[in-house]
Amino acid sequence: MPMPARVTPMPSVRRLPAYLRLLRRFQEDGDERVSCTRIAGELSLDATQVRKDLSLTGIAGRPRIGYRIHDLIQAIVVFLGWDRQTEALLVGTGNLGRALLGYEPFGVNGLDIIMAFDVDPARAGTTLFGRPVYGMNELSMRAAERALRVAVLTVPGSVADTVARSLVEAGVTGIWNFTPARLSVPDHVLVEQVDLLSSWAGLSARMTRRTV
Amino acid sequence: MPMPARVTPMPSVRRLPAYLRLLRRFQEDGDERVSCTRIAGELSLDATQVRKDLSLTGIAGRPRIGYRIHDLIQAIVVFLGWDRQTEALLVGTGNLGRALLGYEPFGVNGLDIIMAFDVDPARAGTTLFGRPVYGMNELSMRAAERALRVAVLTVPGSVADTVARSLVEAGVTGIWNFTPARLSVPDHVLVEQVDLLSSWAGLSARMTRRTV
DNA sequence: TAGATTGTTAATCGATTAACAATC
DNA sequence: TAGATTGTTAATCGATTAACAATC
């Protein structure tokens, strides 16, 4: 008999950071409890959907009362694996790469990009936002040294797949891919795609055909 | 009798740039025709889905033959409104803002960010990647002058909603929002959200619970 | 208590995938 | 011609939304 295989709905997972941000704001305001109705109102979502999303984390609310904000924040943070810092490396210190190295919200949300790599030998030996930049030849050694499992990929699309292979060889099992290239990696390697042109297409098409 | 209201499926729209990129590569390789089967294979998609997506643009293929690559590229480009450059402004010349100003693929995909704004008076009067940077006080005047309709928002989340209001007042009807803030704008203003933490959550949660 | 809210099951909606006739 | 491919309708799948009993 096959397992029911309860899979986690990714749309729900992707909404969790928005809840987290809001809950932290409520907490700063001194609130202790919150209802799904209120969260839904703030984020223009359906209250039932918020309830379903939050139940993912295993937290329970109380009828008439709502949820304890502190517990809810904790549950989301643990669910996302943001209770411990994930150390990551970044490849490609162009404009986008540097922007991500300097993106402060990552720090308080479980991501610590501790080193960067670039093909340009002139950049090797420098630092960016306090993080060392190494040449590509050091990638395998440095990644192994710190047992890094996550890589942020901000190289030109033309070399993305080649670099991805090196990353996998170096032991990386999760790639945050900011290039438009589709990566061919083994099944055990997770790829999260951020496609700027896809997003721009979404806006542009809607503006072009206002009824879209 | 209500209109059938054939709405455009946004997931399809968002896949179009990937097709476009692939088709341009095929064209550079000297190909003239392509089948959905081949496109689907390259992008690991379902061939029927590719066919549905492409039919959005109104283009027709021929059984047994496939599609003419040139016509297909043209149809996608027109559908997305990328046949003419859309002039846009950017607010917030921090790390992420600068990265977007320097992001080259926008140019060949219908987006031209022609000016930038920043609260820091020291940055006013400078240029970034050849684009002038102005103070916030000039926003309304400069936007009206060029009849700008699209704004790229890369300010801190805490001021995002305030800036968004200024943008709307200045005549902007489409906001590409790179902040985590939810913007409250009138119905006629389109917002396209890019949420880095949402994406990081998607990767992090899957890595934390490998079965997710 | 009355009623706001949770948790859960059922219904709806929309996107993806399968099936298949038409066609080159 | 045979068969690969398109275009389209039907089936499936998964996410969102509605309904409602339980509860504090």
Side-chain angles (χ1 to χ4, degrees), chain A residues 80 109 176 188 199 204 210, chain B residues 80 176 188 199-200 204 210:
Chain A
L80 294 175
N109 290 290
W176 200 5
H188 74 279
S199 175
S204 184
R210 276 270 157 178
Chain B
L80 293 175
W176 201 5
H188 75 279
S199 175
W200 164 233
S204 183
R210 276 270 156 177

Side-chain angles (χ1 to χ4, degrees), chain A residues 20-37:
Chain A
L20 193 53
R21 186 179 127 92
L22 187 68
L23 291 167
R24 283 174 173 155
R25 209 178 71 207
F26 288 159
Q27 197 173 47
E28 274 178 25
D29 293 349
D31 296 354
E32 291 209 347
R33 300 170 201 286
V34 70
S35 71
C36 288
T37 321

Side-chain angles (χ1 to χ4, degrees), chain B:
Chain B
M1 185 191 282
M3 288 283 286
R6 186 80 230 95
V7 292
T8 311
M10 289 307 290
S12 294
V13 172
R14 293 179 199 286
R15 280 189 293 268
L16 293 178
Y19 299 143
L20 194 53
R21 186 178 127 93
L22 186 68
L23 292 167
R24 283 175 173 154
R25 210 177 71 208
F26 288 158
Q27 196 173 48
E28 272 178 25
D29 292 349
D31 296 353
E32 292 210 347
R33 300 171 200 287
V34 69
S35 71
C36 288
T37 322
R38 179 151 173 237
I39 294 174
E42 289 276 347
L43 299 175
S44 304
L45 298 174
D46 183 278
T48 303
Q49 182 171 69
V50 174
R51 208 137 45 227
K52 272 251 173 68
D53 290 347
L54 297 182
S55 75
L56 259 190
T57 68
I59 203 74
R62 294 203 303 177
R64 180 67 236 259
I65 308 292
Y67 300 82
R68 288 189 37 134
I69 291 178
H70 173 87
D71 296 352
L72 206 41
I73 289 176
Q74 190 57 22
I76 294 174
V77 162
V78 168
F79 181 85
L80 293 175
W82 291 2
D83 51 328
R84 294 172 297 105
Q85 291 298 99
T86 296
E87 295 189 333
L89 64 89
L90 179 146
V91 191
T93 63
N95 294 318
L96 192 54
R98 285 197 299 276
L100 296 177
L101 282 171
Y103 194 69
E104 290 173 11
F106 290 157
V108 288
N109 290 290
L111 181 60
D112 190 5
I113 308 176
I114 61 170
M115 58 178 78
F117 297 86
D118 202 286
V119 273
D120 184 355
R123 293 191 188 173
T126 65
T127 65
L128 284 170
F129 300 97
R131 278 65 149 256
V133 180
Y134 302 116
M136 293 301 290
N137 57 313
E138 296 192 51
L139 197 151
S140 177
M141 189 263 282
R142 298 282 184 185
E145 200 172 58
R146 297 294 290 264
L148 299 180
R149 295 287 169 262
V150 173
V152 183
L153 192 58
T154 47
V155 297
S158 50
V159 299
D161 205 45
T162 309
V163 173
R165 277 173 223 274
S166 311
L167 289 169
V168 172
E169 268 181 41
V172 164
T173 57
I175 299 177
W176 201 5
N177 181 22
F178 284 82
T179 83
R182 264 59 189 173
L183 309 177
S184 33
V185 293
D187 281 349
H188 75 279
V189 179
L190 303 173
V191 177
E192 174 76 21
Q193 189 82 21
V194 177
D195 194 332
L196 289 181
L197 289 181
S198 174
S199 175
W200 164 233
L203 181 58
S204 183
R206 282 186 291 155
M207 293 201 72
T208 302
R209 288 152 228 291
R210 276 270 156 177
T211 48
V212 169

